[in-house]
Amino acid sequence: MKNIAVILSGCGVFDGAEIYESVLTLLRIEQQGAKYHCMAPNKLQMHVIDHRTGDAVEGESRNVLTEAARIARGEIIDLAQANPDDYDALIIPGGFGAAKNLSDFAVTGADCALDPELMRFTQAIHQQGKPVGMICIAPAMAPRLFGEGVACTIGSDEGAAGAINTMGGAHQTCSVSDIVVDEQRKLVTTPAYMLAGSITEAASGINKLVDKVLAMS
């Protein structure tokens, strides 16, 4: 049975992992006869957002790993303790946590830096020839992870696409129900809630991404 690593970035679209994208990913992995193991960096979030109002909550801090454990029902490990040798592939759901906690793309754009444990784990998976899937805004990190010329998509957002190209990536416009595959680097990306207007639309591309990642692993 294939074992898929899933890196989460907290819990909640505005300051962590996008919950629907994460759950759809986990569901599809199981439906296709594979298993998953969730992990997240053990550090504080960039900030906490009130998801009712969209406002930052002053004076409150939350831990990325602790929050991500909500999605994983407690079955989660510290990313720093994860061994790439144990997994056949990696998938990273989106949500602003990918651009705030796994990287600082939300603040610095094309000048972004990535979490060192994310870099270590993802690049080790890649160097072992294993596929990686990135969803929603997470592909904005692809040029930093996979180098110049990497093909990826965040859908059609001109600002994010421009930043990807500035970093040396090769952004491709993509519909919500489709995927972009960089066969050479074994990277699969899909827009999900960068374009989706419903959970059904998000699932259409995520299911294709999971299926392709499993097929390549």
Side-chain angles (χ1 to χ4, degrees), residues 82-94:
N83 183 353
D85 297 343
D86 296 337
Y87 304 94
D88 299 294
L90 165 65
I91 298 178
I92 308 174

Side-chain angles (χ1 to χ4, degrees), residues 139-206:
M141 301 184 289
R144 293 282 187 264
L145 291 166
F146 305 103
E148 190 169 345
V150 61
C152 62
T153 189
I154 46 79
S156 58
D157 182 89
E158 293 183 1
I164 289 171
N165 291 335
T166 298
M167 287 188 281
H171 182 267
Q172 297 182 16
T173 300
C174 180
S175 69
V176 67
S177 61
D178 209 353
I179 58 176
V180 167
V181 182
D182 186 319
E183 296 284 356
Q184 177 184 353
R185 296 171 177 83
K186 292 189 176 181
L187 174 66
V188 187
T189 54
T190 193
Y193 273 102
M194 290 295 290
L195 291 176
S198 69
I199 192 170
T200 301
E201 286 189 352
S204 63
I206 290 172

Side-chain angles (χ1 to χ4, degrees), residues 40-200:
N42 186 4
K43 66 179 188 179
L44 293 179
Q45 296 179 183
M46 187 184 93
H47 59 191
V48 177
I49 297 293
D50 183 332
H51 280 61
R52 296 176 302 155
T53 65
D55 297 329
V57 181
E58 298 298 331
E60 182 173 347
S61 62
R62 297 187 184 184
N63 180 279
V64 176
L65 178 59
T66 300
E67 291 301 296
R70 295 176 181 272
I71 297 175
R73 295 174 60 86
E75 296 294 326
I76 195 167
I77 62 171
D78 183 341
L79 179 57
Q81 299 173 357
N83 183 353
D85 297 343
D86 296 337
Y87 304 94
D88 299 294
L90 165 65
I91 298 178
I92 308 174
F96 274 101
K100 293 179 177 179
N101 304 326
L102 301 184
S103 72
D104 59 4
F105 181 82
V107 177
T108 60
D111 294 323
C112 68
L114 275 55
D115 178 88
E117 290 301 333
L118 173 82
M119 291 277 288
R120 174 194 67 83
F121 187 86
T122 305
Q123 290 183 336
I125 288 282
H126 174 61
Q127 289 164 6
Q128 292 174 7
K130 300 170 182 176
V132 177
M134 304 180 82
I135 298 168
C136 190
I137 193 60
M141 301 184 289
R144 293 282 187 264
L145 291 166
F146 305 103
E148 190 169 345
V150 61
C152 62
T153 189
I154 46 79
S156 58
D157 182 89
E158 293 183 1
I164 289 171
N165 291 335
T166 298
M167 287 188 281
H171 182 267
Q172 297 182 16
T173 300
C174 180
S175 69
V176 67
S177 61
D178 209 353
I179 58 176
V180 167
V181 182
D182 186 319
E183 296 284 356
Q184 177 184 353
R185 296 171 177 83
K186 292 189 176 181
L187 174 66
V188 187
T189 54
T190 193
Y193 273 102
M194 290 295 290
L195 291 176
S198 69
I199 192 170
T200 301

